[in-house]
Structure formats: C-alpha cells, structure tokens
C-alpha cells in the first residue's frame, strides 16, 4: 500500500471554534469549507484535519451524534519548551504539564474548545 496522505476527521459541536484553534495556534490553514465542515491543511505536517459539525447528515446515522472522544491529536515538534512557552503566551491553557516518560517521550497537552486533546511530543535520543 502506498499511503498518499493522512487525515483525521473530528466530529465537534463548534466547527468554527476548533478551526480557529488549529489555525491560530498550530499553523493550519483552511483548505475547504462548507456549512458544518472545514478541512484544514498544514505546510509542513503530512496530516489534514477535517472538522464536522455534530449531527451533519453526511455522516452515517450511527455516527452523527458522536463527538470526538478518546482521540488525541498528537504533533511531533522540535523545541518542545519553546512551543509550550509560545502557547502559554498566546493564552492557551496547558492541560497536561510538560513531562518525560521513561521510554523517552517528552510531551505536554492542550485542549481545543470542543474538548479535543492536542499533545505536543518531542522524542529524547537515548
């Protein structure tokens, strides 16, 4: 299989709020939009984020009222401390403080306005 792109699709209550969060704080740009739908792309990330309004009829009926739950959007970054400092300065609440796991993962988390956790990660060379 040759995977050409990767997209995460999140069903949220307020598409505009999540779209603004990802564009203002993480450098995503709006690629497409319609009522209840936004597709975001990023210049350097090989990931697109699609935001769908909860209840939108394009979703199968059994998924329409489900919200993004149990999903963590994770971005691997360079200079994790600088990213944490930048986000704090922009008024973003750090919902999981910076920490290092025994397996070499350094991370912290923020949460978008719809409750979607966003983890920033940097791997420590051991």
């Amino acid at each position: 299989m040759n995977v050409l792109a990767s997209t995460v699709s999140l069903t949220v209550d307020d598409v505009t709020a999540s779209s603004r969060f990802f564009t203002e704080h993480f450098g995503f740009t709006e690629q497409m939009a319609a009522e209840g739908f936004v597709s975001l792309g990023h210049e350097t990330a090989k990931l697109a984020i699609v935001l769908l309004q909860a209840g939108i009829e394009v979703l199968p009926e059994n998924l329409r009222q489900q919200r993004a739950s149990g999903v963590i959007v994770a971005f691997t970054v360079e200079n994790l401390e600088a990213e944490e400092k930048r986000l704090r300065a922009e008024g973003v609440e750090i919902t999981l403080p910076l920490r290092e796991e025994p397996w070499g993962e350094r991370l912290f988390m923020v949460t978008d306005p719809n409750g979607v956790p966003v983890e920033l990660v940097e791997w420590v060379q051991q």
Side-chain angles (χ1 to χ4, degrees):
M1 172 174 35
N2 181 21
V3 177
L4 300 176
S6 183
T7 302
V8 62
S9 182
L10 305 169
T11 304
V12 298
D13 288 321
D14 188 341
V15 169
T16 301
S18 283
S19 178
R20 188 177 311 118
F21 184 79
F22 284 103
T23 57
E24 287 180 6
H25 301 298
F26 296 99
F28 281 82
T29 57
E30 187 177 292
Q31 305 294 304
M32 293 181 277
E35 187 174 336
F37 163 85
V38 172
S39 178
L40 303 173
H42 196 279
E43 184 178 317
T44 60
K46 295 179 181 175
L47 170 74
I49 296 175
V50 169
L51 302 164
L52 296 168
Q53 177 73 45
I56 195 166
E57 291 187 12
V58 298
L59 289 170
E61 192 171 338
N62 64 325
L63 297 178
R64 288 181 191 160
Q65 296 306 322
Q66 292 187 23
R67 308 306 191 273
S69 173
V71 173
I72 298 172
V73 177
F75 301 131
T76 302
V77 299
E78 296 176 335
N79 200 342
L80 193 64
E81 289 86 358
E83 293 299 334
E84 182 190 30
K85 184 177 180 179
R86 176 186 64 79
L87 288 167
R88 281 186 192 277
E90 292 175 1
V92 176
E93 179 185 357
I94 306 301
T95 52
L96 178 69
L98 188 114
R99 67 185 200 196
E100 185 170 328
E101 302 294 354
W103 52 86
E105 178 184 25
R106 298 180 68 236
L107 64 107
F108 71 91
M109 288 179 136
V110 300
T111 303
D112 101 322
N114 284 288
V116 176
V118 179
E119 179 179 281
L120 279 76
V121 177
E122 184 176 61
W123 293 94
V124 177
Q125 299 298 324
Q126 300 203 11

